[in-house]
Amino acid sequence: MDKMNDEFYMSLALDMAERAQGQTGINPVVGCVVVKDGAMIGLGTHLQRGTGHAEVHALNMAAGKAQGSTAYVTLEPCSHYGKTPPCSQRLIDEGVARVVVACEDPNPQVAGRGVAMLREQGIEVEVGLLRSRALRLNEKFIKYILTKQPFVTLKSASTLDGKLATRTGDSKWISNGQAREIVHTLRHRHQGIMVGVNTVIADNPSLTTRMEVPGLNPVRIVIDSTLRIPLDASVVSDKQAPTIVVTTESADPVKRAALTDAGVQIVVSGAGPRVDLQAAMMALGELEIGSILLEGGGTLNGAMLENGFVDRVILFFAPKIVGGGVAAPGTFDFPGVELMRDAITLEGLEVEVLGDNVCISGTPIR
C-alpha cells in the first residue's frame, strides 16, 4: 500500500496528466492535486489548448477552501497571460500556502518566473519531486517549445530478421493484436502520423485511430517528392482526418492542383529531387504540429533517423523469420556506418513483452 506523502499526491497528479496525452495539442499535459488538512479538496487536469489549466480546475473544485493548502503541480505554474490568465496568480489569490512542483517549465515565457512569483508572495515552493517522470511525460512539448519542430516517434513492427514484409510485399500481420492496440494509442497521443508515398501506394492505409473507445485521429502526413499519391487513396478521399502531402517544387502542378481541390494541404519542401526533410520539419512545426508518429518504410525511417530527426524509437518484434534478402524490405534502409562504434545507439531502453511480441523502445543518442 502506498503511503500518503508528497510523492503519493504528485504521482496522482502525474497519473491524471498522463491520461490527457494527445488532447492538448502543442500545450503540455499537466495535473494538479490540492490537499488541505489531510484531505484532497481539488483535482485538475489540463484537457485542451485554450481552456483552463490544471491548477484552475483543481482550485475551482476546492470551491474557495484552498486557504492554507498544498498544491501539487506536475509543471511549473505559468506566470504570463496567454490564452488563459496566469496560474501562479490564481494560486496566490486562493491563499495556497505551499506548492510542490515536479519540474520547471522550459517555455521561455515562464522558465522560473512562476516559481519566483509564488515565492515573492511568501508561498513555500519545492521543485524537483519526480522530475524525471514529469520531463518524460512532456517530452513532446519540451522539444516543440524549444525548437519549434515536432517531436518524432518512430514506430515499426518487424520480424526477428528485421523485415517489414515478405519478398512479395505481404505484411499482414507481423505484430499481434496487443501490439496493434498500443500503436493505435500512440496515434491518439500524437498530433500527426507520417508515412512515405510508397506505403500509401502499397497498402492504401487510412492512418486513423481505431480503439475500443473513440480516439483522436492525427493529421496524416505523406512524404511524396513527385506527387505519385493516387487521388483515390484513402488518405485523400475518406475525409476522416486532414491530410498534408509534403512535396518538392518540381512536382507536377496539375497533380498538385487536383490534390488541393480534393482537400489535401500541400507543403513544398525543397527544389527536388527529394523532399528536404529539415525544411519539412520546420514547415510542420509552423503549422503547429508538435508531435509526429513516424510509421514509414525503410527508406523514410532510415533518412529520418540518419539525419537526426527521430526523438524516440519504438520497435515491435514478432517471433517470425521470413528471409528474402534485399527483396524483403527492412526496417531501416540508409547507407549505414562503416564501423560498429559509429552505430546509432539507443539509451534509456524499455522492454515490454506483449504475448508473443516484444517491444523495445529508447532514445537515439545524438
Side-chain angles (χ1 to χ4, degrees), residues 254-318:
V254 175
K255 183 66 171 290
R256 177 175 172 176
L259 288 166
T260 301
D261 289 343
V264 172
Q265 182 173 358
I266 301 295
V267 171
V268 177
S269 295
R274 295 183 178 277
V275 166
D276 182 333
L277 292 176
Q278 176 67 57
M281 292 299 104
M282 294 296 293
L284 293 170
E286 290 172 2
L287 292 173
E288 296 193 333
I289 296 176
S291 60
I292 291 173
L293 181 63
L294 174 60
E295 294 194 24
T299 301
L300 183 56
N301 286 349
M304 290 286 287
L305 186 66
E306 185 181 32
N307 286 285
F309 300 129
V310 174
D311 300 287
R312 175 158 286 274
V313 174
I314 301 177
L315 302 176
F316 297 92
F317 291 97

Side-chain angles (χ1 to χ4, degrees), residues 20-93:
Q21 286 188 88
Q23 295 188 194
T24 58
I26 58 172
N27 277 15
V29 289
V30 184
C32 179
V33 177
V34 180
V35 179
K36 182 178 180 180
D37 298 330
M40 291 183 287
I41 61 172
L43 304 172
T45 308
H46 180 45
L47 297 175
Q48 188 176 8
R49 184 185 181 195
T51 63
H53 290 185
E55 300 94 321
V56 172
H57 290 305
L59 291 169
N60 286 345
M61 182 182 289
K65 300 177 182 178
Q67 184 78 33
S69 66
T70 295
Y72 298 87
V73 191
T74 61
L75 187 69
E76 178 182 4
C78 62
S79 58
H80 65 289
Y81 282 88
K83 291 182 179 294
T84 58
C87 293
S88 292
Q89 188 61 53
R90 178 68 186 274
L91 290 164
I92 293 167
D93 293 344

Side-chain angles (χ1 to χ4, degrees), residues 7 10-11 14 73-76 100-106 115 119 125-139 142:
E7 189 169 316
M10 186 62 80
S11 292
L14 286 163
V73 191
T74 61
L75 187 69
E76 178 182 4
V100 181
V101 178
C103 66
E104 303 86 347
D105 191 332
V115 168
R119 286 175 173 159
V125 182
E126 299 175 22
V127 181
L129 181 63
L130 302 183
R131 174 185 273 122
S132 295
R133 184 181 169 193
L135 290 172
R136 170 68 184 279
L137 189 61
N138 271 313
E139 59 187 359
I142 293 170

Side-chain angles (χ1 to χ4, degrees), residues 340-356:
M340 189 57 66
R341 67 169 179 258
D342 297 325
I344 296 171
T345 305
L346 302 184
E347 62 181 355
L349 286 183
E350 296 179 7
V351 180
E352 184 176 3
V353 177
L354 305 164
D356 66 349

